[in-house]
Amino acid sequence: MRLIINSDYDKCSRWAADYVAYKIKAARPTKEKPFVMAIPAGSSPLGMFKLLIEMFKKGKISFQNVVFFNMVEYVGLPNNDIKSFHYALWENFFQHIDARQQNIHLLNGQAKDFAKECKNYEKLIRSYGGIDLLIGGVGEDGHIALNEPGSSLVSRTRLKALNRNTLRANARFFNDDVNQVPKTAVTIGIATIMDAKEVMIIASGDKKAEAVHCAVEGSVNHMCPISILQMHEHAMIVCDEDATSKLKADTVRYFNDNEETKFGK
């Protein structure tokens, strides 16, 4: 695992955006062989999205041959609901870039048959040869996508009842009224995440410090889902200094020294 420590959220966003642009350019994607990404729709990627949009408008990057998958959607919200993840991704990213409509694949929170929806989503990901780069945030309790504590480490895309912590955390998007937050969502699974060729998690603020501690210094445990990334061949956490506040000083020093050795900062 790599731990990329920046001084603040803005620098995390810059690092993440530069890395995404680098990976896309290095892949030299074509219509026949696109670069495949999975992206989140919470608050963590907003700075990165803004910078990627700026790169696109300046002609530095194109997304025409990039395939996108999202990772979660609330059950019952229509796509045009401003609180849906579908709406958030279009509002904050897709409508500002040159991604092809047919290359954007989003989970359907209004599916009539969720078992079929989830099975087909996994099948669609495999049809592209898998996800090249999966980008995610992390919850205060260590959840990734909406795989909350207790989720099976071999779970796949599925319907998921949300726990109280997630409902309370997401209430800020629903007028701070936890009763308005949908109680169920459809989410990709932990095994789906682990199948990605590369995983990049963005974590900022001291509220994420416990999750970062669990991911880096804890044991692999289904009660802290992000800890599974210790078993991934190419996983990284891009975080700010506040998010490292519960790590040992020696751990922080190790990862900082490691990055300096690799890249000569």
Side-chain angles (χ1 to χ4, degrees), residues 11-24:
K11 288 185 172 60
C12 288
S13 298
R14 170 57 67 185
W15 198 99
D18 286 345
Y19 192 76
V20 169
Y22 161 73
K23 293 295 292 188
I24 293 173

Side-chain angles (χ1 to χ4, degrees), residues 99-160:
R100 293 188 174 100
Q101 177 80 37
Q102 62 268 33
N103 285 347
I104 298 173
H105 305 291
L106 307 179
L107 285 162
N108 181 9
Q110 293 190 299
K112 294 181 179 180
D113 184 339
F114 280 104
K116 184 177 180 181
E117 167 74 9
C118 295
K119 182 178 180 180
N120 287 344
Y121 206 68
E122 291 277 342
K123 184 177 180 180
L124 186 60
I125 292 172
R126 291 194 299 271
S127 75
Y128 284 101
I131 295 166
D132 294 306
L133 175 62
L134 183 145
I135 303 171
V138 59
E140 295 175 30
D141 59 3
H143 75 253
I144 45 178
L146 283 175
N147 298 286
E148 299 166 321
S151 294
S152 167
L153 298 182
V154 295
S155 57
R156 292 284 175 181
T157 304
R158 68 203 186 285
L159 204 61
K160 181 79 170 60

Side-chain angles (χ1 to χ4, degrees), residues 14-26 35 37 48 52 55 61 63 68 93 133 135 200:
R14 170 57 67 185
W15 198 99
D18 286 345
Y19 192 76
V20 169
Y22 161 73
K23 293 295 292 188
I24 293 173
K25 291 177 182 178
F35 186 77
M37 291 181 62
M48 179 191 72
L52 288 172
M55 291 181 193
I61 188 72
F63 299 91
F68 293 97
F93 191 46
L133 175 62
I135 303 171
M200 177 170 69

Side-chain angles (χ1 to χ4, degrees), residues 34-63:
F35 186 77
V36 184
M37 291 181 62
I39 58 174
S43 56
S44 295
L46 292 179
M48 179 191 72
F49 286 160
K50 181 179 179 180
L51 292 166
L52 288 172
I53 291 167
E54 289 178 4
M55 291 181 193
F56 162 69
K57 290 182 176 179
K58 292 177 180 179
K60 295 182 178 181
I61 188 72
S62 171
F63 299 91

Side-chain angles (χ1 to χ4, degrees), residues 171-191:
R172 68 188 189 276
F173 301 116
F174 293 83
N175 303 314
D176 290 320
D177 184 355
V178 70
N179 295 314
Q180 293 184 28
V181 185
K183 304 299 187 292
T184 310
V186 58
T187 178
I188 64 171
I190 293 177

Side-chain angles (χ1 to χ4, degrees):
M1 179 187 291
R2 291 175 63 188
L3 188 66
I4 314 297
I5 304 170
N6 296 275
S7 59
D8 55 38
Y9 173 74
D10 289 341
K11 288 185 172 60
C12 288
S13 298
R14 170 57 67 185
W15 198 99
D18 286 345
Y19 192 76
V20 169
Y22 161 73
K23 293 295 292 188
I24 293 173
K25 291 177 182 178
R28 297 182 179 180
T30 63
K31 187 176 181 180
E32 293 72 28
K33 191 177 180 181
F35 186 77
V36 184
M37 291 181 62
I39 58 174
S43 56
S44 295
L46 292 179
M48 179 191 72
F49 286 160
K50 181 179 179 180
L51 292 166
L52 288 172
I53 291 167
E54 289 178 4
M55 291 181 193
F56 162 69
K57 290 182 176 179
K58 292 177 180 179
K60 295 182 178 181
I61 188 72
S62 171
F63 299 91
Q64 286 192 2
N65 295 318
V66 177
V67 167
F68 293 97
F69 288 90
N70 79 329
M71 297 192 287
V72 298
E73 186 54 271
Y74 289 121
V75 168
L77 293 187
N79 293 340
N80 61 356
D81 190 304
I82 62 173
K83 301 178 184 68
S84 71
F85 293 112
H86 185 287
Y87 182 92
L89 283 172
W90 277 99
E91 182 72 13
N92 296 313
F93 191 46
F94 291 139
Q95 69 172 332
H96 305 289
I97 61 174
D98 62 342
R100 293 188 174 100
Q101 177 80 37
Q102 62 268 33
N103 285 347
I104 298 173
H105 305 291
L106 307 179
L107 285 162
N108 181 9
Q110 293 190 299
K112 294 181 179 180
D113 184 339
F114 280 104
K116 184 177 180 181
E117 167 74 9
C118 295
K119 182 178 180 180
N120 287 344
Y121 206 68
E122 291 277 342
K123 184 177 180 180
L124 186 60
I125 292 172
R126 291 194 299 271
S127 75
Y128 284 101
I131 295 166
D132 294 306
L133 175 62
L134 183 145
I135 303 171
V138 59
E140 295 175 30
D141 59 3
H143 75 253
I144 45 178
L146 283 175
N147 298 286
E148 299 166 321
S151 294
S152 167
L153 298 182
V154 295
S155 57
R156 292 284 175 181
T157 304
R158 68 203 186 285
L159 204 61
K160 181 79 170 60
L162 304 180
N163 68 28
R164 293 179 186 177
N165 290 336
T166 300
L167 296 176
R168 283 195 292 264
N170 289 354
R172 68 188 189 276
F173 301 116
F174 293 83
N175 303 314
D176 290 320
D177 184 355
V178 70
N179 295 314
Q180 293 184 28
V181 185
K183 304 299 187 292
T184 310
V186 58
T187 178
I188 64 171
I190 293 177
T192 316
I193 293 169
M194 291 296 286
D195 279 349
K197 297 178 181 70
E198 191 167 8
V199 177
M200 177 170 69
I201 300 296
I202 301 171
S204 67
D206 56 9
K207 289 185 177 180
K208 303 298 178 72
E210 184 61 37
V212 171
H213 161 68
C214 168
V216 177
E217 295 179 335
S219 60
V220 176
N221 191 318
H222 71 295
M223 294 308 293
C224 183
I226 192 175
S227 66
I228 190 64
L229 295 184
Q230 295 176 30
M231 305 296 292
H232 197 285
E233 187 176 7
H234 299 292
M236 68 177 78
I237 299 174
V238 181
C239 63
D240 60 14
E241 292 175 353
D242 286 345
T244 68
S245 61
K246 292 194 175 183
L247 294 179
K248 296 175 183 176
D250 285 347
T251 300
V252 173
R253 187 180 303 113
Y254 168 80
F255 281 104
N256 279 333
D257 288 349
N258 198 39
E259 291 304 313
E260 289 176 2
T261 300
K262 284 183 178 179
F263 301 103
K265 291 194 299 184

